[in-house]
Amino acid sequence: MSVMKPSEGKETSATHSAYLSLRQMILTGELPPGQKLKIEQLRSTLDTGASPVREALSLLTSDLLVERLDQRGFRAAPASLVNFNEILSLRCVMEDMALRQSIARTTADWEERLVLTHHRMKRAVEEGSIPKFEDAHKSFHMALLDNANSPILLRYCSQLYDLNIRYRYLAAGQTNYRKRDIAAEHEEILDATLRGDADEASATLIRHYRSTGEYLTDPLSKL
Amino acid sequence: MSVMKPSEGKETSATHSAYLSLRQMILTGELPPGQKLKIEQLRSTLDTGASPVREALSLLTSDLLVERLDQRGFRAAPASLVNFNEILSLRCVMEDMALRQSIARTTADWEERLVLTHHRMKRAVEEGSIPKFEDAHKSFHMALLDNANSPILLRYCSQLYDLNIRYRYLAAGQTNYRKRDIAAEHEEILDATLRGDADEASATLIRHYRSTGEYLTDPLSKL
DNA sequence: ATGTCAAATAATATCGATATTTTATGACGC
DNA sequence: GCGTCATAAAATATCGATATTATTTGACAT
């Protein structure tokens, strides 16, 4: 059974695609904070077996997006203002560190990657595709950090980035969609980085995060 | 089946105990770095089913102790000198941060917890029980950090602590077991912390880690 | 009415078996 | 001999079913 057209030779393990789907549903708030995650229900929603769902949930536990309760199954991680503030603080410290290390190790190859990911992000804005922009945005920010050559640090930054994104979605309903000029901020970060000005690049990056944070604090306090 | 004596009402999900066993085996090097982790083999070693083993391995993936390969199963995370150095660096930065935050929020209750965990650690040394000491040692170090009230940071520190312990075991075979006076170092850290001297406490803590690190670098370079 | 306990219900955790994929084996042609 | 391809063997990933454990329901006594 499961005759597969030769075209779709994609790498699709049931577990991995369940992981991606669930992750997306939690990040966007489709599965809201604290929600009980019943295996049987998810199994039918995702049209897959119980084992892949369980394994995906286990993996999401490590991303701090899912909590496992004693022997009472899983639930989407709760959200709170203090949790948000912790994420924001850690992000600032860790991205600052990663960015400085990256700049200290600048190579032509890295600079090109930055320009490229930045370009793709701008392009995604023009095209007006939100999900495309989200991906490109993360790619750009991670590219800024990945030259630090510190896989664990990068992993933590990536996790914290995702956790932060989730709060943006949670607050999005009520937020007056930010009027700041995000594009200009990205431009500044890129320029300072290419200039090798670590202080300026880091300060701008952190300001970028903190001001986004302030926009979210108010709506989130109503959680 | 599986008639359980009423006495052993312990919380023992097969997954959780598999998780603990595998984790221990990897930390101590019984499952060496890079080793292929075959489900069937582990299943019989741990005398449990395949599902708990798989789930435990998934969880260990998040602890960076296990890697998942495409669809080729799992293996114990590889070890290398650069990985060790990354862990050491991150630990110094993050524990420094956590310790300073903890000290900044000092309470009588926390001070008592420090004294208590420190005492238990000394006691474990006297008793000569290695595993007991290991547990107590970690408890003491985590207690130093947990007053920062930053669960995510604490989690990261705990992860990095474990990863570091693993390297200590890996190097242990060939290392001339350290002649430093560990106990005195702990004493210094505790005293400075109780005194509220964050600079001294942090400096001592980091020196503690770095000098342990130096002892390991040489044996590890032969990995 | 209200609280308690037991039976019924639902959900989780686990097992055993199967299908799929990867790796190892060996025959065949060059 | 050596590389290539088909086949066999092994291991993984997944499914379906069952046993366990938590939760709900409702009867009963207070």
Side-chain angles (χ1 to χ4, degrees):
Chain A
M1 186 218 272
S2 103
V3 181
M4 186 176 273
K5 276 158 279 173
S7 64
E8 48 171 331
K10 291 295 297 180
E11 59 110 340
T12 315
S13 80
T15 294
H16 190 242
S17 73
Y19 171 78
L20 292 178
S21 302
L22 288 171
R23 168 203 178 82
Q24 194 64 13
M25 289 197 277
I26 292 171
L27 287 180
T28 60
E30 185 180 334
L31 292 173
Q35 171 136 135
K36 186 80 208 305
L37 302 176
K38 301 184 192 173
I39 306 289
E40 180 57 26
Q41 175 193 311
L42 295 175
R43 196 205 60 69
S44 68
T45 300
L46 301 178
D47 190 40
T48 186
S51 312
V53 170
R54 280 191 73 82
E55 229 177 286
L57 289 174
S58 288
L59 292 170
L60 287 164
T61 294
S62 34
D63 297 339
L64 300 178
L65 289 172
V66 164
E67 279 185 0
R68 141 174 281 165
L69 286 71
D70 199 38
Q71 14 239 90
R72 276 175 271 187
F74 302 86
R75 68 170 178 182
S80 69
L81 189 54
V82 299
N83 179 243
F84 172 71
N85 284 322
E86 188 195 357
I87 290 162
L88 184 58
S89 305
L90 284 178
R91 239 154 82 79
C92 289
V93 174
M94 299 180 67
E95 294 214 11
D96 171 72
M97 181 173 20
L99 180 56
R100 286 175 187 279
Q101 283 175 28
S102 286
I103 291 174
R105 304 168 36 97
T106 295
T107 64
D109 185 67
W110 180 53
E111 293 180 335
E112 290 180 5
R113 251 180 12 252
L114 290 181
V115 172
L116 195 61
T117 52
H118 183 257
H119 166 74
R120 286 186 184 141
M121 184 174 60
K122 283 198 303 185
R123 174 59 52 91
V125 172
E126 292 163 12
E127 289 180 20
S129 160
I130 303 281
K132 222 173 194 173
F133 170 76
E134 289 293 0
D135 283 358
H137 184 249
K138 180 169 181 183
S139 293
F140 173 65
H141 276 285
M142 291 305 115
L144 282 167
L145 311 177
D146 75 2
N147 201 49
N149 218 255
S150 184
I152 301 176
L153 179 57
L154 189 66
R155 180 191 163 100
Y156 288 161
C157 288
S158 170
Q159 265 184 29
L160 292 170
Y161 179 97
D162 289 339
L163 290 171
N164 192 70
I165 288 290
R166 178 175 180 234
Y167 278 100
R168 229 191 47 202
Y169 275 105
L170 291 177
Q174 27 211 324
T175 201
N176 40 358
Y177 225 103
R178 54 192 182 289
K179 8 186 180 302
R180 281 182 305 134
D181 192 348
I182 299 287
E185 293 179 26
H186 287 138
E187 207 89 48
E188 277 182 67
I189 296 168
L190 175 65
D191 290 348
T193 301
L194 292 178
R195 224 183 305 127
D197 185 345
D199 289 336
E200 172 70 12
S202 172
T204 310
L205 181 67
I206 289 178
R207 203 175 335 118
H208 177 61
Y209 289 144
R210 288 218 186 275
S211 62
T212 302
E214 280 169 30
Y215 275 91
L216 299 189
T217 294
D218 191 51
L220 288 177
S221 64
K222 285 154 200 144
L223 269 179
Chain B
M1 171 215 279
S2 96
V3 182
M4 188 174 272
K5 275 159 279 173
S7 65
E8 49 173 329
K10 292 294 296 180
E11 58 109 343
T12 317
S13 79
T15 295
H16 190 243
S17 73
Y19 170 79
L20 292 178
S21 302
L22 288 172
R23 168 204 179 80
Q24 196 64 12
M25 288 198 276
I26 293 171
L27 286 181
T28 60
E30 185 180 334
L31 292 174
Q35 171 138 134
K36 186 80 207 302
L37 302 176
K38 300 185 193 175
I39 306 290
E40 180 58 24
Q41 174 194 313
L42 296 175
R43 196 204 61 68
S44 69
T45 300
L46 302 178
D47 190 38
T48 185
S51 312
V53 171
R54 282 191 70 81
E55 228 175 286
L57 290 173
S58 288
L59 291 171
L60 288 165
T61 295
S62 33
D63 298 337
L64 300 178
L65 289 172
V66 164
E67 279 186 0
R68 142 174 277 159
L69 286 72
D70 200 35
Q71 12 241 90
R72 275 175 273 186
F74 302 86
R75 67 170 180 183
S80 68
L81 190 54
V82 297
N83 180 243
F84 172 70
N85 283 323
E86 188 193 357
I87 290 163
L88 184 58
S89 305
L90 283 179
R91 237 153 85 79
C92 290
V93 174
M94 298 179 68
E95 294 214 12
D96 171 72
M97 180 171 24
L99 179 57
R100 286 175 186 278
Q101 283 175 27
S102 285
I103 291 175
R105 304 167 37 96
T106 295
T107 64
D109 184 69
W110 180 54
E111 293 180 335
E112 290 181 5
R113 250 180 12 253
L114 290 181
V115 172
L116 195 62
T117 52
H118 182 256
H119 166 75
R120 288 189 184 138
M121 183 173 61
K122 281 199 304 188
R123 175 60 51 91
V125 172
E126 291 163 14
E127 291 181 19
S129 160
I130 303 281
K132 224 174 192 172
F133 170 75
E134 290 291 1
D135 282 357
H137 184 249
K138 181 171 181 181
S139 293
F140 173 65
H141 276 285
M142 291 303 115
L144 282 167
L145 310 177
D146 76 2
N147 202 49
N149 219 252
S150 185
I152 301 176
L153 178 57
L154 189 66
R155 179 192 164 99
Y156 288 161
C157 288
S158 170
Q159 265 184 29
L160 292 170
Y161 178 97
D162 288 339
L163 290 172
N164 192 71
I165 287 290
R166 178 177 181 231
Y167 277 100
R168 229 191 46 203
Y169 276 106
L170 291 177
Q174 29 213 322
T175 199
N176 40 357
Y177 225 103
R178 52 191 182 293
K179 13 191 176 297
R180 281 181 304 135
D181 192 346
I182 298 286
E185 293 180 25
H186 287 138
E187 207 89 48
E188 277 183 67
I189 296 168
L190 175 65
D191 291 348
T193 301
L194 292 177
R195 225 183 304 128
D197 185 345
D199 289 336
E200 173 69 12
S202 172
T204 310
L205 181 66
I206 288 179
R207 202 174 337 115
H208 178 61
Y209 289 145
R210 288 217 186 275
S211 62
T212 303
E214 278 168 32
Y215 276 90
L216 299 190
T217 294
D218 191 50
L220 288 178
S221 63
K222 284 154 199 143
L223 272 179

